[in-house]
Amino acid sequence: MSRGLAIAGMVGWLCLIGVTVPSCTALREPYQVVQKADEPNDVKVAQEVGILLGDFQIYQEAAVAIGKNDTLDASARLKVVDSARAVKPAMDDLSEGLKQYQAVKAALLAGVTPTQKLEVVTANLEGWYRNANQLFQQLKSDVAGGAK
Amino acid sequence: MNANFLEIAELLDVLGAVAGIAKAGTVGKVLLHAAALVRLGEEARARRKLLVQQAKVWVAEGREPSTEEIARLDTARDGLDAELAVLQADLRARVGS
């Protein structure tokens, strides 16, 4: 193993175990998107849904990478893969909810459906979002907790 | 309302926990795991930056994910799940569950 790889590995390991080194700060930088205060609630919800679907995709990609990593224990890899697959149906529901919302919004803009229907479908979408997000947060916690 | 992204630190915590039970006990192998995890973390971080940029466009333009963007997310999610299904079957066979 080269000295460079060893140093990179050590820095990474220190980051993982919570030691403060300069490069960890960059890794731990939170990514935030500040939404406009005057944005209608339904638009904010739809943006949040898009973000969660994208976040889940990143988690899936990480799970595939872990699942293929032969240097890791097979049971640990299986746990991550299982968890990523378990939340997928909730994300599918969320995506369907977003499409339903967008169909109603298009109908509203075309003047063929009442405003109340948009409120209902937005409330439904928020419910799907809460459910999917809760499952997503739980799976991350389960994977981390179960592996300790 | 702020849209909080999953911090990369959380992802690294998960990866670190996985490495924790997979570690072989030799310094060299632990370093190898750490290097692989850092690489994975960097890749995830780069992907997350793209997602943040996309979300900032939605917010700046006051719009929602488009039909095409949702379709791309659907396609990617299904494709990754298919890959995970193959890995799941293989890993289950290995651990005998």
Side-chain angles (χ1 to χ4, degrees):
Chain A
M1 184 185 300
S2 71
R3 180 182 291 180
L5 180 60
I7 292 170
M10 184 60 79
V11 169
W13 193 250
L14 290 173
C15 290
L16 291 174
I17 62 175
V19 175
T20 302
V21 295
S23 60
C24 296
T25 309
L27 283 176
R28 291 181 179 278
E29 174 193 350
Y31 293 105
Q32 281 199 333
V33 177
V34 180
Q35 293 177 306
K36 293 175 183 171
D38 58 347
E39 201 76 83
N41 184 55
D42 65 285
V43 174
K44 288 182 183 177
V45 171
Q47 289 172 347
E48 292 274 4
V49 168
I51 288 166
L52 181 58
L53 291 172
D55 243 353
F56 179 65
Q57 187 183 320
I58 292 171
Y59 188 89
Q60 279 184 306
E61 289 169 358
V64 167
I66 290 169
K68 288 179 175 172
N69 190 335
D70 285 331
T71 66
L72 299 177
D73 177 76
S75 61
R77 290 153 61 196
L78 179 59
K79 190 173 180 63
V80 176
V81 170
D82 280 347
S83 71
R85 293 210 73 211
V87 180
K88 206 255 181 185
M91 294 297 170
D92 289 342
D93 288 346
L94 186 61
S95 184
E96 283 306 310
L98 183 56
K99 288 172 202 163
Q100 285 175 23
Y101 154 81
Q102 290 190 325
V104 169
K105 190 158 188 181
L108 178 69
L109 291 173
V112 294
T113 198
T115 309
Q116 290 87 343
K117 195 163 181 184
L118 182 67
E119 290 167 4
V120 170
V121 82
T122 302
N124 288 341
L125 186 59
E126 278 190 285
W128 277 316
Y129 172 83
R130 277 195 300 272
N131 178 52
N133 192 39
Q134 191 176 358
L135 287 171
F136 186 43
Q137 300 306 322
Q138 185 62 49
L139 91 84
K140 286 189 296 173
S141 169
D142 286 349
V143 169
K148 281 175 185 168
Chain B
M1 178 166 55
N2 288 349
N4 290 302
F5 282 82
L6 168 73
E7 288 185 31
I8 195 62
E10 289 182 49
L11 186 61
L12 288 173
D13 284 345
V14 172
L15 299 175
V18 173
I21 62 168
K23 67 185 176 189
T26 66
V27 173
K29 202 156 186 180
V30 169
L31 284 177
L32 193 63
H33 285 151
L37 293 171
V38 167
R39 193 182 66 246
L40 279 175
E42 287 296 331
E43 286 169 2
R45 187 173 170 227
R47 290 277 302 111
R48 183 169 305 278
K49 272 189 175 175
L50 290 176
L51 180 62
V52 171
Q53 285 165 6
Q54 180 61 73
K56 281 182 176 172
V57 169
W58 295 336
V59 172
E61 295 178 356
R63 70 173 179 88
E64 303 154 4
S66 68
T67 308
E68 292 76 21
E69 287 162 344
I70 297 169
R72 276 202 298 274
L73 284 167
D74 285 350
T75 303
R77 190 170 60 254
D78 287 344
L80 287 164
D81 190 61
E83 260 192 274
L84 287 166
V86 173
L87 285 168
Q88 189 180 45
D90 176 51
L91 290 168
R92 279 189 176 162
R94 287 197 206 187
V95 301
S97 68

